[in-house]
Amino acid sequence: MKKINLYRKYNYVGVIALICATIIWGSTFVATQPLLDNTGALTVTALRFSIGVIALLPLAYYQGFRLKMVFKKFFIVFGFTGITCYFGLQNLGLLYTSAGNASLIQAGIPAVTAILAFIILKEKLSPKKVIGIILSIFGVILVSSVVPESGDLFGNILIITSVISYGLYTVIGKLIRKNQYSAVVTTISGFVSGLLFLIPFVAIETLLIGLPIITINEWIILIYLGVIGSAATLFLWNYALKYVNASVAGVYVNLIPVVGLIFAWYFGESITLVQLTGIALVLLGVLISEIKTKKFINENIVG
């Protein structure tokens, strides 16, 4: 055994993975909108993640994924919180409350994730991390630039529940990655588990509104959402959790509405000065959360 001093350098691989995931996520809002005209929200969610499973299955199987893994307790909770609850409840909540309310409530994800990571993972909440979270949340509020409306209480509760669910999903993902499961195995296990919970709700939705009508162009969009918007993004997210604390990863969620706003601007919507200020605050909040203090540590290495 020999003791050496190592400079703790931040691993930028995790940051790059998170940024790529949020950029793709930002594009999915524009892509999803046309699908909801003729297809139920839960059906779109189920089809999206079914395609994601098909895309990931060959690589996941090669890396050790087996169907029985889906029924492990932590993967059941992982899929239920991240797929069924977050995406399902978010879409359902938008049926009962305004998009403005939903956007403002979603801004609470970093704070919820940080609190859960503090409680469950014992991650420290440094002052600069707290400042970064507050700045990014305030930035999202400005980006939304919507005065909260009276929205239906039931819808607001659904959105709040989805926010808590995503915080749990991130924390559980961090715990799973500590158990040495690969990112692709972790991701597909969550997909399959979440889909199992979604099936009965999709059946009920189909009985209520009828079979979906999906055109060729809409199938192309679904393939994009499944392969790129689901399989790739959540793989990148779970991969990043190997290098980044769950509380830090949560801050990156606030980049999604920023990216979404940029995509909306690209497709013809205008951006106000207030929204530009919000974008700057979000980016500043993320930057502050990521600033590392130079520090030397002692590690024992077998020599």
Side-chain angles (χ1 to χ4, degrees):
M1 277 288 201
K2 61 182 179 180
K3 186 175 289 187
I4 63 174
N5 288 325
L6 295 176
Y7 178 67
R8 180 177 288 173
K9 291 185 178 180
Y10 185 75
N11 196 321
Y12 288 95
V13 173
V15 170
I16 293 171
L18 289 172
I19 291 173
C20 289
T22 53
I23 289 174
I24 297 170
W25 262 326
S27 73
T28 60
F29 294 101
V30 175
T32 303
Q33 193 61 47
L35 298 175
L36 300 178
D37 293 335
N38 300 315
T39 308
L42 295 178
T43 301
V44 168
T45 304
L47 288 172
R48 171 180 176 175
F49 286 100
S50 296
I51 293 170
V53 168
I54 295 171
L56 286 175
L57 189 57
L59 179 59
Y61 187 83
Y62 175 76
Q63 293 192 2
F65 170 74
R66 298 296 183 268
L67 186 59
K68 64 181 180 181
M69 297 172 62
V70 173
F71 301 100
K72 291 180 179 290
K73 289 182 180 179
F74 48 81
F75 278 131
I76 289 175
V77 179
F78 189 58
F80 180 70
T81 55
I83 308 304
T84 310
C85 290
Y86 177 66
F87 287 95
L89 292 175
Q90 183 185 94
N91 288 341
L92 284 175
L94 287 171
L95 296 176
Y96 298 99
T97 191
S98 69
N101 281 344
S103 297
L104 295 176
I105 294 170
Q106 288 290 310
I109 287 179
V112 170
T113 303
I115 292 169
L116 290 173
F118 173 76
I119 295 172
I120 299 173
L121 301 177
K122 309 304 179 185
E123 289 185 4
K124 294 181 180 179
L125 280 176
S126 64
K128 66 178 179 56
K129 190 176 293 184
V130 172
I131 292 171
I133 290 171
I134 292 172
L135 281 175
S136 61
I137 290 174
F138 187 62
V140 169
I141 293 173
L142 291 180
V143 167
S144 301
S145 65
V146 176
V147 177
E149 300 171 5
S150 59
D152 188 276
L153 177 61
F154 179 62
N156 289 343
I157 291 173
L158 289 175
I159 300 294
I160 291 170
T161 306
S162 77
V163 166
I164 297 171
S165 296
Y166 198 83
L168 283 170
Y169 174 78
T170 301
V171 169
I172 295 168
K174 183 71 175 180
L175 288 172
I176 292 173
R177 296 294 280 126
K178 286 183 177 180
N179 289 330
Q180 303 304 310
Y181 286 100
S182 72
V184 68
V185 170
T186 300
T187 302
I188 196 170
S189 298
F191 279 19
V192 177
S193 176
L195 282 169
L196 291 176
F197 284 107
L198 272 174
I199 288 172
F201 295 106
V202 171
I204 294 172
E205 183 180 70
T206 302
L207 288 174
L208 293 174
I209 68 175
L211 291 171
I213 301 172
I214 306 175
T215 65
I216 294 177
N217 288 337
E218 289 172 340
W219 273 114
I220 293 173
I221 295 173
L222 274 171
I223 291 171
Y224 169 77
L225 290 173
V227 177
I228 307 299
S230 300
T233 53
L234 289 179
F235 164 77
L236 288 168
W237 186 268
N238 292 320
Y239 177 78
L241 289 176
K242 180 179 179 180
Y243 304 102
V244 178
N245 282 344
S247 56
V248 173
V251 177
Y252 279 81
V253 174
N254 276 345
L255 289 176
I256 296 174
V258 172
V259 175
L261 184 66
I262 293 172
F263 272 100
W265 169 78
Y266 179 78
F267 284 98
E269 294 187 16
S270 60
I271 299 180
T272 66
L273 180 60
V274 172
Q275 289 173 318
L276 288 173
T277 303
I279 291 175
L281 285 175
V282 170
L283 296 176
L284 179 61
V286 171
L287 180 63
I288 289 175
S289 296
E290 294 299 343
I291 292 175
K292 296 288 177 178
T293 303
K294 291 183 178 180
K295 184 178 181 181
F296 283 86
I297 58 173
N298 292 326
E299 288 188 5
N300 291 324
I301 298 179
V302 177

